Amino acid sequence: MFLRKFTIAAACSVLLFVPSISVNAATFSEGEISQVQHFQKEYADLDKTSYDINNLYEVKPQLGANFSAGKIKQQYITTQLAYINYYRSLFGLPAIKTNAIANSNAQKTAAVMAAINADPFVNQHGLPTDMQPNYVSDSLWKLAQDTSETSNLNFNVANQSAGDVITDLITDHYNLTGTDTGHRAWILSTRLSSTGIGAAYGSNGYRYSVQKVLNVDDIFRVASQASVAYPSAGVFPVELAKGKNVAWSLYLSNKVYSGTPKVKITDMDTKKTYQATKVKNYSRNGYGNFKTVITYMPGKTPIISGHQYKIVIGNLYSYTFKLFKEDTSTTKEVTTTTGSTYQKGAVQQDSHLKSPFSKTNAKLWASFNINVKNSKTEHYFFDALKKGQWHQNFFLKRVLQVISK
């Protein structure tokens, strides 16, 4: 059967009911048009409710004497998970679930950060510069330290939707540490199985959001696919590809690459080629349990809805993608963003100290460090990490090197 093709301009005006974009735009096959419509419908169906301190909670927290973490509305958790899985579907990644214990720990952590009005402009993983208030128990403070170490953190004064938080994290355009795209890597991890979600408002007006991303057992999972390129191959929303400080990236699940490749971007419609800028290799950080993490900026490349692009990343990887307009409710191509800041999802200890995995991880880590080879308990292992002995995510990197042999 002859496979008919349409220009994206015709597809948008006839099938998607938005203005045509370019008479010279890339052609989209019927299958691609169907996929675009599917993603547009999925996005349109996502809950866009904005939240503030008045509608976030099912049970309002007590952030002082007689401290209690409270409980956020289930719809907030459900919506945030739906956004995570929508974005994962753009890359062909399997859906993940929330975990009740992880949700509880994330909420307690968010409430602790809100109670102390944690500074949103400094690293808050592990609460390294914060003082434990007298109304927070030792066990709760340690849980907040452990959970914040293993989570994506987002701090925002705007009345965002539950999904806006995830959009911030996946575009990673407000990353305090630069273009490492660590938040994105954790959301798009090929080994991620579950997450936990929490949020709370401090008296300073910031919403402290916590998304659990590092699960000890995920380290040993088989990757669901070999690579994750951003923008993804096939069709991809233009809103996620462009914007101030939005880096593009390549993650490899099992292949180790330590170099810094040159990256070329070709607009297949205009036949012009551009050099990517700020190409960096963050592989040693272990983001998302990936073996290779490459990020780069598209430089002077015009990013246009309806155009097709070819990416060549040295001799490492090459692919093509076509951009489409995700949000058909507005004619604007550029996503409107609100000010926010958050920290990278750092690799650090898990809070379940008595689990079999924690014991295994303690033994593995200790075997690589002569200073703790005689350690007999997993508790010493976690205490050692607190003292800064996990330099450059050393433990995760070495574990992955061992199990890949």
Side-chain angles (χ1 to χ4, degrees):
M1 179 179 177
F2 179 72
L3 181 62
R4 292 180 295 160
K5 290 190 174 183
F6 304 88
T7 65
I8 189 61
C12 287
S13 61
V14 175
L15 297 176
L16 306 180
F17 307 105
V18 296
S20 61
I21 297 171
S22 170
V23 294
N24 297 316
T27 58
F28 279 56
S29 70
E30 287 183 328
E32 289 170 334
I33 292 171
S34 177
Q35 192 174 23
V36 166
Q37 291 177 312
H38 168 76
F39 286 138
Q40 288 176 326
K41 183 179 186 305
E42 289 288 307
Y43 181 79
D45 289 344
L46 291 170
D47 187 352
K48 309 298 193 301
T49 302
S50 295
Y51 286 87
D52 57 32
I53 196 170
N54 297 310
N55 66 344
L56 176 66
Y57 302 115
E58 181 177 317
V59 178
K60 192 173 182 179
Q62 175 64 39
L63 304 181
N66 301 315
F67 177 90
S68 66
K71 186 177 181 180
I72 55 176
K73 290 182 178 178
Q74 181 59 43
Q75 184 60 30
Y76 184 94
I77 296 175
T78 301
T79 298
Q80 193 157 105
L81 180 64
Y83 269 84
I84 292 170
N85 286 329
Y86 165 71
Y87 289 136
R88 286 177 63 85
S89 74
L90 293 172
F91 299 83
L93 293 167
I96 64 170
K97 300 178 180 179
T98 54
N99 175 286
I101 294 177
N103 281 340
S104 176
N105 290 347
Q107 182 58 30
K108 291 174 182 177
T109 301
V112 167
M113 288 194 293
I116 62 176
N117 286 324
D119 187 344
F121 296 100
V122 299
N123 174 29
Q124 290 296 347
H125 290 291
L127 307 178
T129 61
D130 298 291
M131 297 295 294
Q132 177 184 347
N134 57 16
Y135 52 81
V136 173
S137 67
D138 290 346
S139 61
L140 179 57
W141 184 254
K142 188 176 189 311
L143 183 145
Q145 289 179 314
D146 293 342
T147 303
S148 62
E149 285 281 13
T150 56
S151 299
N152 277 339
L153 306 178
N154 177 292
F155 314 133
N156 202 298
V157 293
N159 294 330
Q160 290 187 316
S161 72
D164 288 335
V165 174
I166 302 304
T167 303
D168 270 357
L169 292 171
I170 199 164
T171 55
D172 238 344
H173 60 300
Y174 283 115
N175 193 342
L176 285 179
T177 59
T179 60
D180 59 43
T181 68
H183 306 93
R184 176 191 301 164
W186 285 112
I187 292 174
L188 301 181
S189 173
T190 55
R191 293 182 167 91
L192 185 65
S193 61
S194 64
T195 190
I197 295 168
Y201 278 93
S203 60
N204 58 3
Y206 274 90
R207 187 197 306 177
Y208 293 85
S209 297
V210 178
Q211 185 223 346
K212 173 76 171 178
V213 288
L214 175 59
N215 307 307
V216 172
D217 53 338
D218 286 348
I219 297 173
F220 303 96
R221 288 171 59 86
V222 175
S224 59
Q225 58 194 52
S227 61
V228 176
Y230 185 108
S232 63
V235 296
F236 190 77
V238 67
E239 293 93 336
L240 301 181
K242 66 189 303 182
K244 187 177 180 181
N245 299 326
V246 176
W248 295 0
S249 55
L250 172 67
Y251 310 139
L252 303 180
S253 298
N254 301 307
K255 183 176 181 177
V256 176
Y257 180 81
S258 57
T260 303
K262 290 185 178 180
V263 181
K264 293 192 302 183
I265 305 168
T266 300
D267 184 325
M268 303 296 285
D269 296 282
T270 64
K271 310 302 181 185
K272 293 183 179 180
T273 297
Y274 305 86
Q275 292 292 330
T277 60
K278 299 182 180 179
V279 183
K280 295 187 178 181
N281 189 326
Y282 291 97
S283 301
R284 67 179 183 178
N285 292 46
Y287 299 130
N289 290 327
F290 287 106
K291 292 288 190 67
T292 296
V293 176
I294 304 292
T295 70
Y296 57 96
M297 300 299 292
K300 296 182 179 179
T301 308
I303 303 170
I304 303 170
S305 181
H307 280 216
Q308 181 177 19
Y309 298 84
K310 181 178 181 180
I311 308 293
V312 179
I313 303 175
N315 296 321
L316 186 64
Y317 198 83
S318 66
Y319 73 104
T320 62
F321 62 89
K322 300 175 185 178
L323 295 175
F324 71 92
K325 194 168 181 294
E326 175 185 61
D327 187 355
T328 60
S329 66
T330 175
T331 58
K332 293 182 179 179
E333 283 191 5
V334 180
T335 304
T336 300
T337 58
T338 52
S340 63
T341 181
Y342 42 80
Q343 312 298 324
K344 60 185 179 182
V347 180
Q348 191 49 280
Q349 65 270 34
D350 189 89
S351 58
H352 305 295
L353 297 182
K354 297 183 180 180
S355 71
F357 281 113
S358 71
K359 295 178 181 179
T360 300
N361 291 341
K363 293 176 182 177
L364 283 170
W365 185 85
S367 70
F368 298 128
N369 192 320
I370 60 174
N371 295 324
V372 293
K373 276 188 175 181
N374 296 323
S375 171
K376 295 182 180 180
T377 69
E378 67 273 17
H379 297 281
Y380 184 91
F381 161 64
F382 289 110
D383 289 341
L385 298 184
K386 281 296 185 188
K387 295 174 183 176
Q389 295 184 28
W390 195 330
H391 181 63
Q392 294 293 343
N393 304 319
F394 174 83
F395 169 67
L396 179 60
K397 183 176 71 171
R398 293 301 297 269
V399 169
L400 293 178
Q401 288 173 344
V402 170
I403 65 176
S404 64
K405 294 181 179 179

